[in-house]
Amino acid sequence: MVASVSKEMDTQALWKRYEDWLYYHEGLGLYLDISRMRFTDSLVETLKPKFEKAFQDMAALEGGAIANPDENRMVGHYWLRDPDLAPLSLGQEIIDTLKQIETFVQKVHSGEIVPPEAPKFTDILSIGIGGSALGPQFVAEALSPLDSPMPIHFIDNTDPAGIDRVLNKLGDRLKSTLVIVTSKSGGTPETRNGMLEVKHAYELQNLNFPKHAVAITMQGSKLDELGGMEGWVAEFPMFDWVGGRTSQFSAVGLLAASLQGIDVRAILQGAKDADSATRIPDLKQNPAALLALAWYYAGNGKGERDMVILPYKDSLLLFSRYLQQLVMESLGKETDLDGKVVNQGIAVYGNKGSTDQHAYVQQLREGVPNFFATFIEVLQDREGDSIEVEPGATSGDYLSGLLQGTRRALYDNRRDSIVITIPEVTPYTVGLLIALYERAVGLYASLVNVNAYHQPGVEAGKKAAASVLDLQTRAIAALKDAGQPISLTELAIQAGAPDEIETIYKILRHLEANDRGVRLEGDRAKPSSLTVSAS
Ligand SMILES: O=P(O)(O)OC[C@H]1O[C@H](O)[C@H](O)[C@@H](O)[C@@H]1O
């Protein structure tokens, strides 16, 4: 009896907390519920000055401040959906680029721009990685219509088998495929490799690659030069002041979406309206600030809890992967803006509900409590009516019930969660979701005092990879010079890298597996016993 009274009181208190913290925006059709994050009023009070600073930082950023000091760059992704905000003549560049995209797409769709070897372009092949892939992939998965005028395919890696899979799928349609090569820097090796592999595939079929190729890159980049030299079909600009992971509303996202027949003006409008809502310098009136508060609470301002993204809608499957880059590349930083070592970040993962309830949600409910969940709820089940799968209940009712049930089951076991609710998945709501998270990341970065707009850590892996490839060249040369089987130790000495035996061993093992003129002999369980020869 006592237990049930106290449960009743809990329910009442929770309902009140729900109403107190519920954010709703009529124009956006957006609800945000952070009531199941157990922060206290005193935390909110403590964070007030930090939020005031965060709002000021964001206003300065939108006003054209050098918000990315390490790279001495402005940060202008908010201008992409509201060019009037952009300083100097940048607004005009944004407007011109959008017009250029729309004109190009219209000409491709109408058959005014055609490939030399086919009556029309039928498919898109997008080559790019990271920020030059994840946005277009997420948007395609969420919004590409079944009867799209041009379905899209992606190469986002330097995996030869992965590239073959995409090329095989395209098969004969390569001759009617428009290839978009996207790289802001124009020098990312994976993208360069993908482009060269695809070009080779075109040449094997005697197809004129440049007449199928479009570049999206910064002026003056290697890709820009190559496209110009080879006479590619078109080129669209990437702006210095837009980072890859926030480039969905630049040509990077808009060209691919528009070619697929997705309403890009509606995407931009959704983002612009979300920006208006998230610009308000008042915590309770600002959904991005509320998200940032919830993240701060969850991880103690230090990312101590992971962000699990659970959209209960198949078409939003790639949202977590998209957010993984946006959040982790923006917030995962060794030092703060004062140069202090802070090792910040929030780990992001997730897939979709209710699917994940049959997999890792077991651990979320009962295992290590090192996360908070974010449910993305979509009110509309489908277009049209649903059958009843049992009296009075549809498949969509199940999905909705499973979301509510999981939220409750987690909360009952002291696991926190956020719920973001949108009416349906449309270009408008996808635009708003991206903009909402872009702003939340920006605000949170201010709260924890990190630069959200650079990625120095990514460089370390790239440099190490370059040195491995350099070592490969030297090892192959040394092997040829040796002219007879030699030990790995000897080869490392001959290659001028006596400290790199392990790396050399792995290079050789890989070359051998791919019939690249290397043979290893000896006990493979004891690599130090191996001798290597040219085969
Ligand atoms: O567009 P790109 O210059 O080719 O860059 C592609 C990606 O690679 C880099 O390593 C960065 O970490 C990402 O932020 C970027 O989006």
Side-chain angles (χ1 to χ4, degrees):
M1 182 66 186
V2 173
S4 89
V5 167
S6 99
K7 184 136 182 53
E8 180 65 18
M9 279 170 57
D10 284 347
T11 313
Q12 286 300 326
L14 276 176
W15 174 234
K16 183 170 181 321
R17 183 172 170 84
Y18 176 79
E19 210 172 35
D20 279 353
W21 283 99
L22 179 67
Y23 172 88
Y24 175 63
H25 188 295
E26 191 172 355
L28 295 170
L30 170 75
Y31 297 83
L32 172 64
D33 161 27
I34 57 167
S35 67
R36 288 337 189 247
M37 303 294 290
R38 286 162 299 155
F39 56 85
T40 58
D41 289 348
S42 91
L43 177 73
V44 178
E45 273 308 306
T46 315
L47 287 179
K48 268 197 176 143
K50 280 186 191 283
F51 269 107
E52 266 158 41
K53 180 171 180 303
F55 293 134
Q56 282 164 16
D57 288 349
M58 194 51 78
L61 178 149
E62 286 198 292
I66 300 296
N68 178 359
D70 299 47
E71 296 178 357
N72 195 28
R73 278 171 161 153
M74 294 190 286
V75 173
H77 48 277
Y78 298 105
W79 309 330
L80 297 170
R81 48 264 196 169
D82 194 352
D84 290 345
L85 289 180
L88 312 166
S89 58
L90 303 183
Q92 199 52 47
E93 283 184 49
I94 298 167
I95 294 168
D96 291 346
T97 305
L98 183 58
K99 278 199 192 125
Q100 192 197 346
I101 291 170
E102 287 179 333
T103 308
F104 178 78
V105 170
Q106 193 272 326
K107 286 184 178 169
V108 170
H109 284 170
S110 69
E112 199 175 322
I113 296 179
V114 292
E117 309 90 353
K120 243 182 156 178
F121 281 112
T122 58
D123 291 75
I124 310 162
L125 174 53
S126 169
I127 307 173
I129 196 165
S132 292
L134 289 159
Q137 285 169 333
F138 165 51
V139 167
E141 186 77 18
L143 298 172
S144 198
L146 271 181
D147 59 350
S148 169
M150 294 177 73
I152 191 162
H153 316 267
F154 291 95
I155 290 178
D156 67 352
N157 199 358
T158 185
D159 170 17
I163 293 171
D164 288 349
R165 202 161 58 169
V166 176
L167 290 174
N168 287 336
K169 199 170 152 206
L170 280 167
D172 259 5
R173 295 204 310 284
L174 213 53
K175 64 175 181 297
S176 58
T177 294
L178 185 71
V179 182
I180 304 177
V181 184
T182 305
S183 175
K184 178 181 174 184
S185 62
T188 302
E190 290 94 326
T191 304
R192 191 267 327 260
N193 296 356
M195 187 270 295
L196 289 174
E197 294 259 3
V198 169
K199 189 175 179 185
H200 177 66
Y202 271 82
E203 285 163 1
L204 282 181
Q205 293 190 26
N206 284 320
L207 300 170
N208 185 344
F209 175 73
K211 295 297 163 212
H212 292 254
V214 172
I216 302 178
T217 188
M218 282 203 299
Q219 250 189 351
S221 77
K222 279 188 196 159
L223 179 58
D224 171 40
E225 280 167 20
L226 181 77
M229 216 167 61
E230 293 188 349
W232 288 18
V233 185
E235 180 174 327
F236 298 89
M238 265 295 266
F239 304 120
D240 173 66
W241 37 268
V242 174
R245 57 188 170 276
T246 51
S247 64
Q248 179 51 36
F249 303 106
S250 73
V252 174
L254 300 183
L255 177 63
S258 191
L259 284 165
Q260 288 167 84
I262 297 167
D263 183 352
V264 297
R265 293 265 173 181
I267 297 187
L268 289 165
Q269 191 63 47
K272 182 180 174 180
D273 291 352
D275 286 347
S276 303
T278 57
R279 197 172 282 130
I280 295 171
D282 176 348
L283 176 63
K284 276 199 138 178
Q285 302 306 317
N286 181 330
L290 290 170
L291 274 180
L293 163 70
W295 301 352
Y296 192 99
Y297 157 73
N300 209 10
K302 295 182 195 135
E304 288 168 6
R305 286 202 162 75
D306 302 345
M307 185 188 302
V308 182
I309 303 287
L310 282 165
Y312 275 60
K313 190 55 68 183
D314 288 357
S315 62
L316 297 180
L317 173 75
L318 296 184
F319 195 40
S320 57
R321 201 184 295 173
Y322 175 79
L323 290 182
Q324 203 164 50
Q325 182 190 31
L326 178 65
V327 175
M328 295 178 75
E329 203 171 42
S330 301
L331 301 178
K333 301 293 153 72
E334 182 164 57
T335 55
D336 69 7
L337 284 163
D338 304 321
K340 205 171 104 199
V341 173
V342 287
N343 298 113
Q344 272 290 357
I346 304 178
V348 180
Y349 65 93
N351 184 39
K352 64 171 173 151
S354 71
T355 314
D356 293 351
Q357 281 178 236
H358 301 269
Y360 65 83
V361 170
Q362 162 64 28
Q363 174 170 323
L364 299 191
R365 175 66 168 56
E366 296 184 353
V368 200
N370 62 349
F371 73 94
F372 63 101
T374 305
F375 296 99
I376 316 279
E377 178 186 28
V378 180
L379 291 174
Q380 190 194 55
D381 287 337
R382 59 152 57 102
E383 280 177 23
D385 297 336
S386 290
I387 58 157
E388 291 187 356
V389 289
E390 58 187 57
T394 64
S395 303
D397 296 341
Y398 265 81
L399 192 67
S400 176
L402 285 160
L403 187 160
Q404 283 224 50
T406 306
R407 172 176 175 265
R408 181 182 304 173
L410 290 178
Y411 190 76
D412 286 350
N413 227 12
R414 301 186 66 74
R415 271 78 171 158
D416 290 342
S417 65
I418 298 168
V419 186
I420 293 174
T421 304
I422 53 171
E424 51 187 316
V425 178
T426 61
Y428 184 85
T429 55
V430 165
L432 100 75
L433 279 179
I434 294 174
L436 173 67
Y437 272 88
E438 283 179 351
R439 184 81 63 161
V441 165
L443 291 172
Y444 182 87
S446 290
L447 296 183
V448 301
N449 195 35
V450 297
N451 177 356
Y453 308 105
H454 66 165
Q455 52 285 329
V458 172
E459 295 308 315
K462 286 187 194 169
K463 281 189 192 137
S467 82
V468 171
L469 286 161
D470 174 58
L471 192 54
Q472 174 170 316
T473 311
R474 286 189 282 144
I476 292 171
L479 186 60
K480 280 194 182 135
D481 286 351
Q484 57 177 8
I486 57 171
S487 70
L488 290 180
T489 314
E490 188 55 31
L491 184 68
I493 294 167
Q494 295 302 323
D499 297 337
E500 294 281 5
I501 300 183
E502 185 177 325
T503 313
I504 289 180
Y505 157 65
K506 287 182 179 163
I507 288 170
L508 296 171
R509 191 177 61 177
H510 174 250
L511 290 172
E512 185 191 40
N514 287 282
D515 298 328
R516 301 274 301 285
V518 169
R519 198 169 66 242
L520 290 163
E521 267 166 323
D523 180 357
R524 284 176 192 263
K526 285 203 172 50
S528 61
S529 76
L530 295 173
T531 56
V532 54
S533 55
S535 66

